[in-house]
Amino acid sequence: MLRIWVVVPTCLPLVVRRCHVCGGERFRADGKFRVNANHKLIEAWLLVLCTVCGDTVKLSVRERVKVSSVSPDLLERLHGNDVSLAAEVLQDPLVQRRHRFALDWDGAWRLDTGGFVVPEGPDDVVEVLVRCAARIPLRPARLIAQGCGLSRGEVERLITEGKIVSAVRLTGRLSGDFSFTLKR
């Protein structure tokens, strides 16, 4: 039997970066953009606020590009403070590298198992496909424990006994879709 679990973001993740004002390490993005046009050039930034002192940092989305090169759809999303655009910008590896930050997803996602119940029969085999709606780095063993209502130690024991198998390594971190088979 195939079951599908979905990892869904519940809010924007925190930005992990050092604040130059207070030394804090976390910034909150609430989807606010600033757009500045100077003649035929446009600049756009995503605004993030320090969780300690409230200082604002601007993360560049577009820097001094011709207005004609920016799609009307993108311009509308920038002016409308589109939260989904903010999520795209935060997850963009180029933006992360340019502004030297990482994302903290703790408490910013939930697991939807669709009412999954661990099978009790000795011959029951369940295949589970885990879909990630965003690139959220997760520990598969912890995710399996949460979805099955088991302890992490129990999940690790089942992995070593070969009762939970997968084509990917279940002991590290993943940030994409994966599947596993649970044999009881």
Side-chain angles (χ1 to χ4, degrees):
M1 151 181 13
L2 177 66
R3 303 294 291 201
I4 298 176
W5 293 358
V6 182
V7 177
V8 182
T10 56
C11 60
L12 292 173
L14 292 176
V15 173
V16 180
R17 171 186 166 148
R18 187 159 165 55
C19 178
H20 70 279
V21 174
C22 71
E25 303 251 334
R26 301 278 189 272
F27 286 80
R28 182 183 68 253
D30 51 3
K32 303 282 189 226
F33 290 91
R34 174 152 188 244
V35 181
N36 185 23
N38 186 5
H39 300 290
K40 295 180 182 180
L41 300 178
I42 192 169
E43 296 176 292
W45 303 277
L46 173 63
L47 304 177
V48 294
L49 303 168
C50 177
T51 57
V52 177
C53 69
D55 186 52
T56 302
V57 171
K58 299 185 292 188
L59 305 177
S60 300
V61 178
R62 294 286 187 271
E63 290 183 7
R64 301 185 57 80
V65 297
K66 291 184 179 181
V67 175
S68 60
S69 70
V70 178
S71 73
D73 177 52
L74 176 60
L75 203 53
E76 184 178 322
R77 291 174 75 191
L78 288 167
H79 284 297
N81 293 322
D82 187 355
V83 176
S84 63
L85 178 61
E88 291 172 26
V89 169
L90 288 174
Q91 293 181 48
D92 185 350
L94 295 175
V95 174
Q96 289 180 5
R97 193 170 30 255
R98 183 182 325 129
H99 294 285
R100 297 182 183 114
F101 71 86
L103 296 177
D104 179 4
W105 283 96
D106 286 348
W109 61 273
R110 67 178 170 79
L111 178 63
D112 182 11
T113 61
F116 178 79
V117 178
V118 178
E120 294 297 325
D123 296 330
D124 290 338
V125 175
V126 178
E127 187 171 335
V128 178
L129 174 62
V130 179
R131 296 228 172 244
C132 294
R135 283 188 359 254
I136 303 171
L138 302 166
R139 296 188 183 279
R142 182 178 290 172
L143 189 77
I144 294 168
Q146 180 181 343
C148 294
L150 302 171
S151 69
R152 274 195 330 194
E154 178 73 13
V155 169
E156 290 172 9
R157 185 183 62 76
L158 292 172
I159 290 171
T160 56
E161 290 177 358
K163 294 190 178 190
I164 296 179
V165 294
S166 178
V168 298
R169 196 175 94 227
L170 298 174
T171 55
R173 282 189 182 258
L174 291 174
S175 59
D177 300 347
F178 70 97
S179 64
F180 67 94
T181 303
L182 173 64
K183 305 171 196 172
R184 286 300 269 197

